[in-house]
Amino acid sequence: MTTTDTAAHTQPFQAEVSELLHLMVHSVYSETDIFLRELVSNASDACDKLRYEAIANPALLGEGDALKIRIAPNKAAGTLTIADNGIGMERQELIDHLGTIARSGTKAFVAKLKEAKDGLGLIGQFGVGFYSAFMVADKIIVISRRAGESDVWTWTSSGGSGFEIARAGEEDAGRVTRGTEIVLHLKDDAKKYLETYEIERIVGAYSDNILFPIELVPEEGEPRQINSASALWQRSKSELTAEDYKKAYQQIASAFDDPAMTLHYRAEGRYSYAVLLFAPSAKPFDLFEPSRKGRVKLYVRRVFITDDADLLPGYLRFIRGVVDSEDLPLNISREMLQNNPQLAQIR
Ligand code: ADP
Ligand code: MG
């Protein structure tokens, strides 16, 4: 198969994905709101990735719009579109990222989900990610253009056993100049997500701390920003409430529980950095998964760098949160991460 192929190709999902989708489609899980949190978080990750790649290759950012996320309901079509102008996906990335689950512990998770009576409560804990959109949509179309590429691809699926990949039509390709557009054809019982007040409520509850502007594009009138887009960890403790911390924890960790412990401070001196760490109150279902890694996020001056830096010792891998450094270089490499004196001090 070559990328000059224009015909649509149907591809099967990885077995775990099919199982997961079956559970999603037939779920009686009431917390369907989380689908928007998951898609917004992916859009934000995509903007983070582009900003990071653009440090080495500024041309990728081009002269286009600032990085942002847009949410557009369309009542006549019954669709909700979540779009970003982040990194985008090329053909093979669509196949790899939206056809499999790469995360460790997935098999164990799917098995648990099937056997547990209230297993669907696990959905929020594990963060089923993109696939959670099948709780509210019976058909999903993803249109994507990787930054710097001329090809635009579509990924279409109605759940079931597979998805279709095709070259985007002219109109779609013309509209999606960079990044990803996700079009959800909402199920009848999920049409409430077309209401602007519902969208604002969910973004306010789960995604207020996303660092990029989230714009609501109403069917009539001007787009308006609906998140505060502030880095909460940069604010002073005295102006933050327990509720602010809880929201930040749930957003940063993709969790539903309350934080059992919150650690928020700023170190100044030879090195300056802000730290915001949380211990979950609910036991992660994959606590004993040996390959499970810490996921504390490293930022440098508000730019996300990695969640793979092993900022904490292995036995603290259940801790979630953010370390935002003022002094590390933005283009810090993996090797530098390992031997960096500032990170050693944080550890
Ligand atoms: P996770 O975000 O935990 O990796 P998801 O199921 O939410 O898992 O997403 C799977 C993968 O699909 C992401 O890791 C990313 O590579 C890709 N992806 C999803 N949404 C987007 C998007 N809007 N832009 C670019 N890549 C995306
Ligand atoms: Mg995700």
Side-chain angles (χ1 to χ4, degrees):
M1 218 179 285
T2 70
T3 46
T4 50
D5 245 347
T6 46
H9 287 278
T10 304
Q11 314 250 348
F13 283 122
Q14 178 194 30
E16 285 82 30
V17 174
S18 286
E19 282 186 278
L20 192 59
L21 286 182
H22 184 82
L23 288 163
M24 291 282 126
V25 171
H26 298 98
S27 98
V28 287
Y29 184 53
S30 54
E31 308 271 349
T32 50
D33 291 357
I34 59 150
F35 85 91
L36 194 56
R37 173 190 79 179
E38 295 296 334
L39 297 185
V40 165
S41 121
N42 285 348
S44 168
D45 291 348
C47 292
D48 273 333
K49 280 180 203 157
L50 177 58
R51 194 159 58 171
Y52 182 67
E53 281 194 19
I55 295 167
N57 183 4
L60 284 182
L61 270 175
E63 312 202 326
D65 280 351
L67 292 167
K68 68 178 167 201
I69 299 162
R70 310 184 110 210
I71 305 179
N74 180 334
K75 283 190 178 160
T79 59
L80 183 66
T81 299
I82 293 94
D84 66 72
N85 55 358
I87 193 72
M89 285 174 278
E90 46 189 33
R91 187 177 184 279
Q92 196 58 43
E93 288 173 320
L94 283 167
I95 295 171
D96 293 343
H97 299 326
L98 304 184
T100 62
I101 308 177
R103 232 168 310 168
S104 68
T106 304
K107 276 212 173 99
F109 169 72
V110 174
K112 268 216 165 131
L113 205 53
K114 283 199 296 192
E115 81 198 15
K117 268 209 192 70
D118 63 340
L120 291 166
L122 295 168
I123 287 176
Q125 253 187 67
F126 184 74
V128 246
F130 172 78
Y131 303 106
S132 63
F134 281 103
M135 292 194 291
V136 299
D138 43 28
K139 181 177 175 188
I140 300 179
I141 303 172
V142 180
I143 306 152
S144 198
R145 183 199 295 259
R146 188 148 198 323
E149 301 283 329
S150 53
D151 291 344
V152 184
W153 294 96
T154 65
W155 176 107
T156 308
S157 177
S158 304
S161 57
F163 55 92
E164 201 182 271
I165 293 277
R167 191 177 282 280
E170 226 170 284
E171 200 189 317
D172 287 343
R175 194 182 55 250
V176 181
T177 53
R178 187 183 71 214
T180 302
E181 205 178 271
I182 297 185
V183 184
L184 307 177
H185 289 260
L186 294 176
K187 296 181 186 178
D188 283 337
D189 61 3
K191 291 283 201 290
K192 66 169 181 181
Y193 295 115
L194 297 172
E195 303 294 344
T196 52
Y197 59 83
E198 278 290 316
I199 298 169
E200 276 189 82
R201 177 183 65 78
I202 301 171
V203 168
Y206 293 119
S207 310
D208 198 49
N209 286 299
I210 293 283
L211 288 183
F212 301 96
I214 302 174
E215 283 183 3
L216 176 62
V217 187
E219 291 182 71
E220 276 161 39
E222 291 299 301
R224 61 175 191 279
Q225 187 172 331
I226 54 171
N227 65 327
S228 53
S230 73
L232 178 119
W233 56 87
Q234 295 293 352
R235 291 163 55 188
S236 89
K237 260 176 140 156
S238 57
E239 62 178 69
L240 296 167
T241 63
E243 186 59 26
D244 292 332
Y245 281 119
K246 180 179 163 185
K247 270 166 97 174
Y249 161 68
Q250 294 187 334
Q251 188 235 300
I252 292 166
S254 292
F256 281 130
D257 54 327
D258 288 17
M261 189 201 81
T262 301
L263 183 66
H264 181 197
Y265 66 92
R266 174 185 291 281
E268 313 269 2
R270 181 137 173 254
Y271 301 116
S272 301
Y273 50 87
V275 172
L276 177 59
L277 297 177
F278 302 100
S281 55
K283 184 177 129 232
F285 80 94
D286 58 346
L287 187 61
F288 301 110
E289 178 74 32
S291 55
R292 195 165 163 271
K293 295 183 102 179
R295 274 189 279 157
V296 172
K297 297 178 183 185
L298 175 67
Y299 282 75
V300 172
R301 295 181 290 286
R302 256 76 61 218
V303 176
F304 173 78
I305 303 296
T306 179
D307 60 2
D308 200 18
D310 290 328
L311 291 174
L312 297 174
Y315 62 87
L316 288 178
R317 64 192 179 193
F318 60 91
I319 297 284
R320 293 288 178 264
V322 170
V323 173
D324 189 355
S325 159
E326 296 298 324
D327 335 271
L328 289 174
L330 274 172
N331 58 353
I332 187 162
S333 66
R334 238 144 247 287
E335 301 73 66
M336 283 167 77
L337 282 171
Q338 252 148 40
N339 310 313
N340 188 274
Q342 169 169 11
L343 293 180
Q345 177 184 331
I346 297 170
R347 282 180 198 120

